[in-house]
Amino acid sequence: MQYRSLGGTGIQVSPFALGAMMFGAAGNPDHDDSIRIIHRALDAGINFVDTADMYSHGESEEIVGKALKGRRDDVVLATKARFPVNYDPTGATPFVPNRSGASRSWLIRALDGSLRRLGTDYVDLFQIHQPDPDTDIEETLSALTDLVRAGKVRAIGTSSLPASDIVQSHWVAERRGLTRLRTEQPPYSILNRGIEREVLPVAQQFGMGTLVWSPLAGGLLTGRYRKNHENTTHRSQFGFRHLTDERRLDAVEELITLAEDAKLPLTHLAMAFAIAHPGVTSAIIGPRTMEHLDDLLAGLDVTLTDDVLDRIDEIVPPGTDIGALDMAYQPPAIQRSNLRRRPVSERAAA
């Protein structure tokens, strides 16, 4: 395994990071089997494990904690906070004030809960799971700085932060003498290359490590989703729209042909693409079964030639997104129509 520097932290991490979202009720409810998968990844040389407090309502962190007993010192451990631990995207769980967000109040409580579930007294990387427009960035950075100084956190980062917010956070950190963001975790795959325009260049400019999630495009780049085929996979039961987007499925068909010409499984093509960008530190894999993990590990030594990368560029041009992942962050300016539309009385030019 070749290791890469995590931005300017001095921490060395594997190009593949093990994501733990599928460990627990949301994916693999068998704790012993999930632990075996984690150990298999560690034995293969993966030294970076990424989880979050909301994954299976904290169950993922508990599984990771069990798996790392006796091996904690050799693992770069990352977790995230932002959503309530009992987060339910359907809205069925009642909202409880002050148990989510990026405020000082919640982040301190959330980290203490994560440390307890993980069975450790520190994490190597603590990340804000998604931007929180209701909390001032100085408030968030101040709280994270105190957690670093308390020894509970080694480095701090974000996920899905727009490039402009990354720049603002570094400006605030420098002006106020606060700890700087060291990592960003955006979505990135052959089908979603939008971060190549600004996020990756800005992260590189500020010396940040970039940990990309969903390098298999939410499952589309596994080859198990085909146009005009019925899909009955684990993910399909959740009704994700990105799995049935005709534009994405058309691109997948072209990529399957390209992978066949290159004599590669589609998963290996997708993972090798994600870690080939100089701004990407690690790509997060999220296996649910040992079979999923073994398939990805078999592609660790795959190197894409310039000819193959050029053909990918022809199918999905650099800096381009084909559709969007259902779980991708959308800023308020996109979500809220009143921020995109003037009052009716002010819309005319005359």
Side-chain angles (χ1 to χ4, degrees):
M1 185 74 69
Q2 297 186 43
Y3 295 91
R4 300 174 173 182
S5 295
L6 185 61
T9 65
I11 299 172
Q12 299 293 302
V13 295
S14 48
F16 283 15
L18 179 65
M21 185 175 70
M22 286 291 103
F23 302 145
N28 187 342
D30 187 328
H31 286 211
D32 291 337
D33 189 45
S34 295
I35 289 170
R36 284 191 291 269
I37 293 171
I38 295 171
H39 287 171
R40 173 78 175 93
L42 299 181
D43 292 341
I46 292 176
N47 74 335
F48 195 2
V49 178
D50 178 82
T51 185
D53 58 1
M54 64 163 283
Y55 293 162
S56 295
H57 309 320
E59 188 181 1
S60 169
E61 289 183 324
E62 293 174 358
I63 293 171
V64 170
K66 293 176 185 177
L68 296 188
K69 285 184 178 178
R71 307 184 70 161
R72 173 68 184 91
D73 291 343
D74 297 322
V75 174
V76 178
L77 179 59
T79 193
K80 300 182 285 291
R82 161 68 173 87
F83 300 102
V85 176
N86 63 345
Y87 177 71
D88 183 348
T90 67
T93 303
F95 172 76
V96 179
N98 302 317
R99 292 199 179 184
S100 63
S103 68
R104 170 180 290 274
S105 172
W106 176 244
L107 291 180
I108 292 174
R109 293 177 62 188
L111 178 62
D112 285 342
S114 290
L115 295 178
R116 183 178 64 255
R117 288 185 291 271
L118 290 165
T120 184
D121 56 2
Y122 76 98
V123 291
D124 298 279
L125 178 63
F126 188 42
Q127 303 157 102
I128 306 303
H129 206 153
Q130 203 175 81
D132 178 9
D134 295 327
T135 303
D136 190 277
I137 187 62
E138 184 175 339
E139 171 80 3
T140 299
L141 290 176
S142 176
L144 294 175
T145 297
D146 288 345
L147 292 173
V148 171
R149 290 171 179 169
K152 294 182 177 182
V153 173
R154 298 294 187 260
I156 60 173
T158 53
S159 179
S160 302
L161 202 65
S164 57
D165 288 358
I166 293 175
V167 172
Q168 181 190 20
S169 74
H170 281 272
W171 179 82
V172 170
E174 181 178 354
R175 187 181 184 194
R176 299 300 188 191
L178 301 172
T179 300
R180 293 191 294 126
L181 296 177
R182 291 297 190 176
T183 63
E184 162 57 14
Q185 189 178 128
Y188 183 57
S189 71
I190 295 176
L191 299 182
N192 291 103
R193 303 181 61 176
I195 66 169
E196 293 174 345
R197 289 185 176 273
E198 292 187 347
V199 171
L200 284 176
V202 166
Q204 288 176 277
Q205 180 182 357
F206 285 105
M208 299 171 66
T210 303
L211 323 168
V212 299
W213 58 271
S214 203
L216 298 182
L220 274 177
L221 297 179
T222 62
R224 291 192 283 270
Y225 299 88
R226 303 292 299 271
K227 193 169 184 179
N228 301 321
H229 285 68
E230 183 178 358
N231 300 313
T232 57
T233 65
H234 175 77
R235 290 177 183 266
S236 63
Q237 64 180 309
F238 297 106
F240 291 136
R241 290 170 297 177
H242 66 252
L243 296 177
T244 57
D245 186 317
E246 289 291 325
R247 297 166 300 168
R248 293 168 74 83
L249 289 171
D250 285 340
V252 168
E253 293 299 320
E254 294 187 68
L255 291 168
I256 288 174
T257 300
L258 171 56
E260 291 172 348
D261 291 344
K263 296 180 171 54
L264 291 172
L266 183 59
T267 52
H268 296 181
L269 176 80
M271 291 301 303
F273 168 84
I275 64 173
H277 194 289
V280 173
T281 308
S282 299
I284 300 172
I285 59 175
R288 183 172 53 86
T289 68
M290 190 69 78
E291 180 184 8
H292 294 164
L293 176 63
D294 285 340
D295 169 57
L296 294 169
L297 292 178
L300 283 173
D301 60 351
V302 171
T303 299
L304 300 184
T305 64
D306 286 344
D307 289 342
V308 171
L309 291 171
D310 287 343
R311 288 186 62 185
I312 290 175
D313 288 349
E314 292 172 1
I315 297 170
V316 184
T320 300
D321 287 329
I322 298 182
L325 293 165
D326 291 66
M327 63 289 284
Y329 171 71
Q330 296 292 345
I334 300 300
Q335 288 183 335
R336 294 166 51 186
S337 62
N338 67 312
L339 297 179
R340 294 182 280 106
R341 301 171 183 172
R342 292 178 180 271
V344 175
S345 60
E346 299 177 8
R347 292 178 190 172

